[in-house]
Amino acid sequence: MKNLSPLQVERLKYQPKLPASLLNGINSLNLIEGSATESVRDQEQIKELFKNTYGKPVVTFEAASTKSTSEIRNVGVILSGGQAPGGHNVIAGLYDALKLANPQNKLYGFLGGPSGIIEGQYVEFDDKFIDEYRNTGGFDIIGSGRTKLETQEQFEKSLAVCKKLNISAVVIIGGDDSNTNAALLAEWFVANNADIQVIGCPKTIDGDLKNDQIEISFGFDTATKTYAELIGNIQRDANSAKKYWHFIKIMGRSASHVALEAALQTQPNITLISEEVEQEKMSLDSIITYMSNIIAKRANNGKNFGIAIIPEGLIEFIPEMKTMISNLNDLLSTLEKDSSFANLADAEKFEIISSKLDADNAKVFSSLPTLIKSQLLMDRDPHGNVQVSRIETEKLLIEMIKTRLGEMKKNGEYNGKFSSQAHFFGYEGRCAFPSNFDADYCYSLGYNAFALINNGLTGYLSSVKNLTEPAKSWIAGGIPITMMMNMEKRHGEMKPVIQKALVKLDGPVFKRLKDNREDWAMNDCYKFPGAIQYFGPTEVCDLTTVTLQLEQSKTLVGV
Ligand code: FBP
């Protein structure tokens, strides 16, 4: 292997840990079944849509004393959606389990996300191929994509490709949307006697694919540690130069888990949480007031610098923006059918939009800076979502705060100097070297996915629990995907989808921010986590997130 850094060479040698129950051998497992399950909401509708896969039990694995034989299986794997550190280890774990079960088994990787299975684009893995990617970040082993897998035609094409390769199981590594697709595909395969199993794996740095059974999605641990390291570095710089306010937008499409965790690790002066903004019905104006007052108070204490953390999805949680964006989405879906609209200059588009939006929404739209208006018109993703990573909310806030501070100065309420820097941390963390936690967790998820396949299950999500304990005490098993579903409106229609987990405002994680934020706003309580993935004693490298420790009522370590 060429062009490897010393750290890459070192990480290739890392041996990920497995739960004790899986260490006895992939063919020596007992499957323990719990009782029948129900979806989180809308039980009757979900049951009707998933006639064959609804209501199955949660399962766990225990090491067995006997060894069974394993029939030959060909398995296909797909990486779906945004990158998250550890995806390569899911594939490595799956591959190792599959080859241990029977060396004649084959693993195929579909290229470029779900479109790979539809179009029959694939590679076959072997030892050499897999070995180059162990413990590395990224999804470049086979690439990823955001194609939605949901139509009859796509399912039929996928079936034909699987039959050609003699594939009897497909593993989909993805977030809530991708695992919703996994459940639909699993149901369709059963309903059409395809004899092909589908297993999902919980991925997303956003940390919003979690519930009583899934403690955290993979990638959250590494991404938050990476962002915390970067925020810590900026805090040191701010505290040294004492001349800039740094506005840092942090990735996480909808929920604010990533921003919250990064803030708990670094203790910045201001942290906005989208879920709180929505619950408290905070308007954009009241957010500007809240932030400007802190900036003015710090300036009174001679501090013309600070750090503000802004969750990526904020704009969609500000009530008047949410209403306006929803109105804008409907309007754009009509306007974009007319090809002449696409060719218009932005200024002309703004005029048409302002004249066609409802009066209140038109007012909100018109009040935005040109840059933000243009960004709001960019293409939606395949799931119909605004691509919030492309909307520079941090710059919007800076501009509005500048104006507000100017007004406050005139009124004698502010006497400082406001210089700002805008940052967006997202892509810096999504493909980072997986932390030891994510390397172990992902390998276990992949290994466990094969155990679920080997035991004949379909429509299940690979689950590994008890994650604040050492890996040997982790509990491996599976949960029926339908258990996490409810009905939601998508593209104007009610659809079955996995319920997203937002930050719980009455939970211990948000409470820790709430209890400390006044202190952190005025006093500089900055923490500098550093490159904690690998350096330092293992007690530090292997700490789980503050979020998981608080959620599982552990005595906080490392905070
Ligand atoms: P997934 O939900 O697919 O894991 O993706 C999450 C994410 O990283 C979000 O945090 C972010 O908004 C989005 O992907 C950005 O993706 P893209 O670069 O494709 O717009």
Side-chain angles (χ1 to χ4, degrees), residues 274-285:
S274 305
E275 290 82 345
E276 185 184 30
V277 165
E278 185 170 47
Q279 180 172 293
E280 300 299 321
K281 300 193 173 42
M282 287 175 81
S283 61
L284 186 53
D285 188 67

Side-chain angles (χ1 to χ4, degrees), residues 253-282:
R253 225 207 76 74
S254 206
S256 308
H257 299 290
V258 181
L260 178 55
E261 172 64 27
L264 294 183
Q265 288 187 30
T266 54
Q267 308 185 171
N269 305 104
I270 298 177
T271 305
L272 299 179
I273 297 297
S274 305
E275 290 82 345
E276 185 184 30
V277 165
E278 185 170 47
Q279 180 172 293
E280 300 299 321
K281 300 193 173 42
M282 287 175 81

